[in-house]
Amino acid sequence: MDEYSRFVDWDKMDASIQNQDPKELTCTEFKELKQLARQGYWAKNHCLRAKVYQKLINDISCRTVTPDANVYRDIVVKIVGKRSSNTLPLPEFVDNSLVPTYCLNAEGIGAVRKIISCIANQFPDISFCPALPSVVALLLHYSRDEAECFEKVCRILACNDPSKRLIDQTFLAFESSCMTFGDLVNKYCQAAHKLMVAVSEDVLEVYSDWQRWLFGELPMVYVARVFDVFLVEGYKVLYRVALAVLKFFHRVRAGQPMESNNVQQDIRAFVRNIAKSVSPERLLEKAFAIRLFSRKEIQLLQMANEKALQQKGITVKQKRQNVHLAVHAENFKSEIVSVKEMRDIWSWIPERFALCQPLLLFTTLEHGCSLNRFYSHSEGHEPTLLLIKTTTKEVCGAYLSTDWSQRRRGGSKLSFFGTGECFVFRLQPEVERYEWVIIKHPELAMTGSEARSNSSQHSNIQASAVFPSDPSDRLSPFLAARHFNLPSKTASMFIAGSNDCIIIGGGDGQALYIDADLNHGTTSHCNTFNN
């Protein structure tokens, strides 16, 4: 056994990671460290992993005054006193999180609560940090004593590098990360997202569990491999792995009945028993095969979600349903879709706008069938949701991220506009969503391809919008055209409007065409909502 074995129950630990080569790590370059972390270079040697953790954490840029091992030795007796460590209450900011034992022995299990109590004493600014118990328990496996583990965790919490985000420490940061994860699921795990929408009343409540999957439910050998890469690459790794978990859950459970009436519990059970379905290596391989947006773009989205929460006054923990369920049966009315269908559509739009109530802007039943009247009611609002019902009972529509007034930027010439968050969809005869083709297939942007439009049968039209108070915050922070290396002629070819017609084009060759007479042909109802 090595010097880092004090808190480890080796009967629980995988024997293959005890003391195997390699023995040393000599590289210091980020690219090489990143490659070795992904390959699991130090995953097969307990002592080496402990030394690597020590080095990576010591290299974190921290606040000038960061509690160290000596501080722990000074305060632990005063804080714990004569109480049994196993009965120490956890601080409120861990939000009744699981305290995983992983492969800790009895001394280690008790030490976790002592360390958390001392951290709470030294970090009074932490208000919400459900991942903390898991991080403490994990690092204790690779620490020589409690004080060393305390210092490692404190350095992670005290990180002041603006380019490196590690652990959420406020409810605002945590909740916005859940919204950001929901945005990423909507973009990269559409099949899984469709399943979540079908089996859960509040899909965002399911996604609020994403950190618990990693820091609470994942078995020790998996979470350690994730942490290896996390210390090198940062927060984005967590999104990758959580997306991979959801993809594997959908693959394994697709077509099977849920094991319980609660999909949250089913996912948690799947993650706890993930070894039955996928190895740690395969999980990471899947995670890094996902072509995510850049770290900067994800940070912009996170900031936009935080701002949306602040504008709604949501900065401290409250009942989840009050945060997310914006479409209420008592105050939503539409001739085209039901409340359940509207909630399904709401699950597709960016999370920062899903917080808002839908506001009816235009309906053909009340405002008539004039296209100019449609523009006058819809302009000045963004984003908007367009719903159309045909005389043959087909229901389709579009989510439009940009103010309709931008249609005039080309003068009298038909001008396209929009961002990559736009999409078209249909609900009847079957549910399907079609993404912006340039985002789904970015290689098409370089061909100068033109948006295709297929004539579509229209009938009843509604428009609605969900909008923040500051117009400058309305556009997508990372899906706007300026964030893509796209030629200007194809960068925003999604929506076009003139006095004669509206063209809304989506990916996969799907498009909506609306004639100047909204009651022309087979159009029966049209609604527009503002988010």
Side-chain angles (χ1 to χ4, degrees):
M1 299 301 172
D2 57 54
E3 58 185 324
Y4 298 97
S5 299
R6 174 177 172 181
F7 302 109
V8 178
D9 183 343
W10 288 103
D11 291 334
K12 299 178 183 177
M13 185 74 86
D14 185 346
S16 67
I17 66 172
Q18 294 185 16
N19 286 294
Q20 295 186 15
D21 288 333
K23 300 287 187 184
E24 299 295 335
L25 180 71
T26 56
C27 74
T28 57
E29 294 294 325
F30 173 76
K31 286 186 177 180
E32 190 175 355
L33 271 175
K34 175 179 173 180
Q35 193 66 26
L36 293 176
R38 292 188 178 190
Q39 292 172 354
Y41 181 82
W42 52 81
K44 295 297 184 182
N45 186 295
H46 184 81
C47 184
L48 179 59
R49 178 181 261 160
K51 292 177 180 178
V52 172
Y53 281 6
Q54 186 76 52
K55 171 181 168 39
L56 293 174
I57 293 172
N58 282 345
D59 288 343
I60 293 174
S61 175
C62 296
R63 298 195 291 251
T64 304
V65 181
T66 298
D68 59 14
N70 289 327
V71 170
Y72 182 82
R73 297 184 185 101
D74 290 340
I75 66 174
V76 64
V77 175
K78 177 182 175 181
I79 292 174
V80 176
K82 296 181 179 180
R83 291 177 293 177
S84 167
S85 57
N86 290 322
T87 63
L88 286 173
L90 292 173
E92 287 188 9
F93 64 66
V94 303
D95 192 40
N96 296 317
S97 298
L98 296 175
V99 182
T101 59
Y102 295 133
C103 300
L104 293 173
N105 57 25
E107 182 184 5
I109 293 171
V112 171
R113 289 178 175 268
K114 291 167 64 177
I115 295 169
I116 293 174
S117 297
C118 290
I119 289 171
N121 175 267
Q122 293 296 301
F123 288 84
D125 53 331
I126 295 179
S127 59
F128 198 81
C129 191
L132 185 62
S134 175
V135 173
V136 172
L138 177 64
L139 287 176
L140 202 53
H141 292 77
Y142 303 99
S143 302
R144 285 170 287 200
D145 56 30
E146 296 172 12
E148 182 180 291
C149 180
F150 170 85
E151 181 174 327
K152 288 176 180 174
V153 179
C154 287
R155 291 192 65 82
I156 292 173
L157 293 171
C159 174
N160 63 359
D161 183 347
S163 66
K164 180 176 287 188
R165 181 182 177 192
L166 294 176
I167 298 179
D168 296 330
Q169 300 174 45
T170 66
F171 180 74
L172 181 62
F174 172 82
E175 190 70 10
S176 63
S177 78
C178 296
M179 293 168 64
T180 301
F181 179 70
D183 285 327
L184 296 175
V185 173
N186 205 354
K187 178 65 68 174
Y188 297 104
C189 303
Q190 293 180 12
H193 182 67
K194 190 173 182 179
L195 175 63
M196 296 302 107
V197 171
V199 301
S200 62
E201 183 174 333
D202 184 0
V203 69
L204 296 180
E205 189 172 354
V206 176
Y207 296 152
S208 71
D209 249 11
W210 81 277
Q211 288 194 28
R212 175 173 174 152
W213 303 342
L214 309 184
F215 295 119
E217 304 291 358
L218 269 182
M220 169 70 185
V221 65
Y222 290 78
V223 74
R225 286 298 308 277
V226 172
F227 207 75
D228 292 346
V229 191
F230 167 71
L231 284 179
V232 176
E233 300 187 40
Y235 201 90
K236 184 179 175 182
V237 169
L238 304 183
Y239 285 134
R240 285 187 175 279
V241 176
L243 289 171
V245 165
L246 198 59
K247 282 178 175 286
F248 279 116
F249 173 80
H250 175 260
R251 178 182 297 180
V252 172
R253 297 293 174 83
Q256 298 180 13
M258 292 291 116
E259 294 182 357
S260 70
N261 293 326
N262 189 330
V263 69
Q264 277 183 294
Q265 297 299 330
D266 281 356
I267 297 177
R268 291 174 186 176
F270 171 79
V271 177
R272 283 195 298 272
N273 299 293
I274 197 170
K276 297 178 180 178
S277 305
V278 59
S279 67
E281 293 74 23
R282 182 72 185 100
L283 179 64
L284 289 179
E285 181 184 335
K286 186 72 170 179
F288 291 111
I290 300 171
R291 298 183 62 184
L292 274 184
F293 292 109
S294 71
R295 182 177 288 104
K296 180 180 179 181
E297 290 162 343
I298 291 177
Q299 287 174 345
L300 288 170
L301 180 58
Q302 180 91 15
M303 289 167 58
N305 285 331
E306 284 192 10
K307 197 160 191 176
L309 287 166
Q310 289 172 325
Q311 289 172 342
K312 297 290 289 184
I314 301 168
T315 57
V316 296
K317 183 171 172 57
Q318 48 189 275
K319 290 183 179 180
R320 184 88 50 198
Q321 57 267 31
N322 293 337
V323 176
H324 291 310
L325 287 183
V327 183
H328 298 292
E330 61 271 15
N331 55 22
F332 174 75
K333 183 179 293 186
S334 170
E335 309 83 18
I336 298 178
V337 295
S338 65
V339 172
K340 171 63 170 62
E341 289 172 324
M342 191 62 167
R343 285 176 176 168
D344 289 347
I345 298 170
W346 227 240
S347 73
W348 295 336
I349 71 175
E351 303 290 4
R352 63 191 182 281
F353 299 126
L355 293 168
C356 306
Q357 291 276 350
L359 171 67
L360 183 63
L361 300 176
F362 175 88
T363 172
T364 50
L365 292 182
E366 180 179 341
H367 301 108
C369 300
S370 165
L371 195 55
N372 287 328
R373 193 173 297 124
F374 167 82
Y375 289 139
S376 68
H377 282 269
S378 300
E379 288 179 1
H381 301 283
E382 63 177 45
T384 52
L385 184 71
L386 184 69
L387 300 175
I388 299 171
K389 186 174 184 179
T390 72
T391 53
T392 57
K393 308 302 182 183
E394 294 178 332
V395 175
C396 57
Y399 172 78
L400 311 168
S401 62
T402 312
D403 193 329
W404 281 94
S405 62
Q406 289 206 20
R407 67 188 175 84
R408 295 194 296 268
R409 66 182 184 178
S412 59
K413 185 178 179 180
L414 195 65
S415 177
F416 283 87
F417 59 97
T419 73
E421 287 183 320
C422 300
F423 59 86
V424 295
F425 60 88
R426 64 178 178 183
L427 297 179
Q428 299 291 339
E430 60 184 12
V431 178
E432 194 65 60
R433 181 181 58 156
Y434 304 95
E435 286 190 296
W436 198 43
V437 68
I438 294 177
I439 297 303
K440 198 165 188 179
H441 303 288
E443 67 276 6
L444 297 182
M446 307 309 295
T447 67
S449 58
E450 298 181 353
R452 292 169 292 175
S453 63
N454 298 332
S455 61
S456 179
Q457 293 180 326
H458 319 298
S459 73
N460 185 345
I461 302 181
Q462 278 186 333
S464 67
V466 183
F467 55 94
S469 57
D470 185 353
S472 66
D473 297 326
R474 292 175 181 169
L475 287 181
S476 163
F478 75 115
L479 287 177
R482 67 182 182 277
H483 290 294
F484 291 87
N485 295 320
L486 303 178
S488 59
K489 290 184 179 180
T490 58
S492 55
M493 294 182 64
F494 189 87
I495 318 165
S498 69
N499 292 331
D500 300 317
C501 66
I502 295 172
I503 299 173
I504 304 171
D508 298 338
Q510 302 299 316
L512 300 178
Y513 177 87
I514 302 174
D515 191 88
D517 180 1
L518 293 178
N519 203 33
H520 176 74
T522 56
T523 304
S524 77
H525 293 300
C526 173
N527 293 166
T528 308
F529 290 89
N530 175 219
N531 296 55

